[in-house]
Amino acid sequence: MRTRWRASHILAHQDGHHALLRDGEVVWEDDVIVHVGHGYDGPVDAELDLGESLVLPGLIDLDALTDIDHLVLDSWPTPELADGLQWSLDYFQHRRRDVFTPEERATIREYALVQLALHGITTYMPIASEIHSSWAEPYDELVTMTETSRKLGLRAYLGPAYRSGVNVALPEGGRDVAFDEERGRAGLQDAVRFLDHVAELADPLVTGVLLPCRIETITEELMRETAAAARQRDAIVRLHCLQGLIERDLVERRHGVTPLEMLERTGLLDTHLLVPHGLVTDRHPDVHGEDRGDLAKLAAAGVSIVHCPQTSLRYGKVLHTFGRYRDAGINLCLGTDSFPPDLIRGMDVGVHLAKVLEDRFDAAPAEDYLDAATLGGARALGRGDLGRLEPGAQADVVAFRIDDIRDGVLDDPVRTFLLNGTGRQATHSVVAGRTVLADSRIPGVDLEDLRKRAQLLFEKMREAYSERDVQRRPAAELFPPTYPAFTTGDPVG
């Protein structure tokens, strides 16, 4: 099957870097691109003229939330309410449970994966909140999610998240980690079993990876065993770390070293390692405020930092800085880590945050961020055939409309789109040559029905925070409205 797309702007790949092609075409046969340029004169079985569109390599999201959104709840609280959004120690010890049934979790996963596709993401590595689960992610849930992903046609890097402990709020105030080490060991066993399951599937769109949760919730033993399993199975490891000051304090108290030193001590630094966020290195103003070798150590180890600019900003955090990490030789890729999974908005946020931090307009230009969302993601995965539009690459392609008058006039299509556009302008995408998104719809998915079901599950999740709160406050108190509700009575004025 040979297919051709035509468009006003195509981000082609030439001589080792992206290059803008005007009024061009992309042709693929089955799952491989065979032509990018002008004047293709061979036969085609199907073609599509996308008009005023920007055609990009499929976007790669390596910290993709595949759960019900929680940032809409937990990025606003006052200090008095913040501890109520963690597990209480009492809940951990006596009452922890699964808020959702397996069937409801399957709906949540479908909802999240559909969101990714609607925003032009073609390759993803998931993250799911464990706050409303009895522990982490069970093996069976990931098996079901794999089938959902295969049905939609996305390219997935999957594994059940596992941990030895969980962050808890203490009754006397403050935070700690409460451990259940046997659950951690069982989680790694399930993760390795899932690698076997994926190998048996032999589906080129599904790759098994190891996804331990957060470094402060993993014992040293489990970190070492994860590193050994990764080397034995040649598997990618992704571990949330270098993420925050609370994490750094907890790791130093428990192990006597920094999180980065812990990666080195347990052998994880020698694996194929992805680190979401990577905010708290020695460059962080609350650590040393200057480079004392952390970036060089990460670069020498080949660690990829999964930068999530929009989510970091929503929690009041920033990377110090995109340009400094890039100049140090660290591979930067991107993640969304919240809803909406809009890498376009995320890139725009990142570009402008870098301007503020470095007091330079050119601190992190738009093209550097788009490189991170495509080429950087491909490097992080060890996939030279992703993230680029050139003959021989995989046919992972996405198109965004750029002719909406609300986006203003058009200058450079990439810069203008990142400045004024959104991932919601995605209209078409293919993964390995197979249609995922067509005319802004996903074939076979009833979006309105899925939206309604997801809303009901969100409301169930919201109410469940109360039982975990150290003070058992009702959800209405934990999540106060922006304004009081309007009451009927005498008309205003």
Side-chain angles (χ1 to χ4, degrees), residues 326-404:
R326 197 170 187 268
D327 291 345
I330 294 173
N331 181 51
L332 287 159
C333 44
L334 295 187
T336 50
D337 194 24
S338 65
F339 285 105
D342 190 335
L343 280 175
I344 306 305
R345 289 179 63 185
M347 286 186 263
D348 183 45
V349 165
V351 166
H352 297 297
L353 276 176
K355 293 178 184 180
V356 173
L357 291 169
E358 299 208 27
D359 196 24
R360 290 170 39 213
F361 284 169
D362 63 342
E367 57 268 31
D368 287 358
Y369 264 90
L370 190 49
D371 281 356
T374 53
L375 300 173
R379 279 192 294 269
L381 298 172
R383 294 290 302 265
D385 59 344
L386 300 180
R388 64 194 67 207
L389 300 182
E390 65 179 357
Q394 279 285 290
D396 290 13
V397 193
V398 60
F400 297 89
R401 294 296 300 182
I402 54 173
D403 61 352
D404 193 318

Side-chain angles (χ1 to χ4, degrees), residues 38-329:
H38 299 105
Y40 179 76
D41 59 2
V44 296
D45 301 294
E47 57 185 318
L48 181 64
D49 190 339
L50 294 161
E52 287 294 313
S53 293
L54 175 61
V55 172
L56 301 176
L59 300 180
I60 300 172
D61 184 348
L62 296 182
D63 205 32
L65 184 67
T66 52
D67 211 327
I68 288 288
D69 190 18
H70 60 87
L71 185 146
V72 69
L73 296 173
D74 63 21
S75 61
W76 311 102
T78 62
E80 294 76 24
L81 294 175
D83 281 349
L85 309 188
Q86 301 286 325
W87 282 21
S88 68
L89 184 59
D90 176 63
Y91 182 81
F92 167 82
Q93 292 172 331
H94 305 297
R95 296 181 292 104
R96 64 182 190 252
R97 69 176 183 91
D98 290 323
V99 172
F100 299 116
T101 67
E103 294 75 20
E104 288 171 333
R105 291 290 294 178
T107 295
I108 289 169
R109 300 294 200 176
E110 180 186 7
Y111 172 77
L113 296 184
V114 164
Q115 289 273 6
L116 296 176
L118 289 171
H119 286 82
I121 290 162
T122 58
T123 296
Y124 73 97
M125 189 179 290
I127 174 176
S129 171
E130 300 85 25
I131 196 166
H132 44 265
S133 299
S134 60
W135 194 243
E137 291 184 321
Y139 170 87
D140 290 342
E141 185 174 309
L142 264 292
V143 170
T144 301
M145 177 180 168
T146 300
E147 293 313 306
T148 301
S149 185
R150 294 175 74 194
K151 181 179 178 182
L152 291 172
L154 294 170
R155 192 179 297 277
Y157 286 75
L158 301 177
Y162 56 94
R163 61 184 179 184
S164 314
V166 60
N167 287 278
V168 296
L170 301 174
E172 65 274 15
R175 304 274 184 88
D176 203 351
V177 178
F179 285 90
D180 185 338
E181 295 185 30
E182 185 55 40
R183 294 294 295 266
R185 286 187 284 269
L188 176 57
Q189 291 172 4
D190 275 351
V192 172
R193 183 158 65 109
F194 186 79
L195 295 180
D196 292 333
H197 171 71
V198 169
E200 290 173 5
L201 289 177
D203 185 338
L205 294 187
V206 182
T207 301
V209 293
L210 295 172
L211 301 178
C213 295
R214 302 165 62 111
I215 191 170
E216 76 273 20
T217 68
I218 309 292
T219 62
E220 182 170 349
E221 173 197 14
L222 197 61
M223 284 187 244
R224 292 184 184 279
E225 291 180 354
T226 296
R231 286 190 290 269
Q232 181 182 10
R233 304 298 296 266
D234 192 27
I236 294 172
V237 180
R238 192 196 63 196
L239 174 63
H240 283 71
C241 60
L242 312 177
Q243 185 171 354
L245 296 171
I246 293 176
E247 168 210 289
R248 186 181 178 97
D249 177 63
L250 290 168
V251 170
E252 288 183 328
R253 275 196 277 147
R254 182 172 177 83
H255 302 289
V257 294
T258 68
L260 181 53
E261 290 167 338
M262 198 65 193
L263 292 177
E264 192 169 29
R265 188 161 95 181
T266 58
L268 282 169
L269 203 59
D270 296 326
T271 65
H272 186 160
L273 181 64
L274 279 59
V275 172
H277 306 299
L279 305 175
V280 182
T281 63
D282 51 20
R283 283 190 50 81
H284 192 283
D286 291 327
V287 179
H288 300 302
E290 62 183 14
D291 188 1
R292 297 189 180 182
D294 283 359
L295 300 191
K297 184 175 289 188
L298 290 166
V303 172
S304 291
I305 297 294
V306 186
H307 180 34
C308 305
Q310 182 164 266
T311 295
S312 293
L313 180 63
R314 288 173 169 180
Y315 286 117
K317 301 175 182 178
V318 293
L319 184 71
H320 298 271
T321 62
F322 184 95
R324 300 291 184 180
Y325 278 53
R326 197 170 187 268
D327 291 345

Side-chain angles (χ1 to χ4, degrees), residues 426-446:
T427 59
H428 296 78
S429 70
V430 295
V431 177
R434 172 188 165 185
T435 297
V436 173
L437 186 68
D439 294 320
S440 304
R441 308 285 295 181
I442 299 174
V445 176
D446 185 335

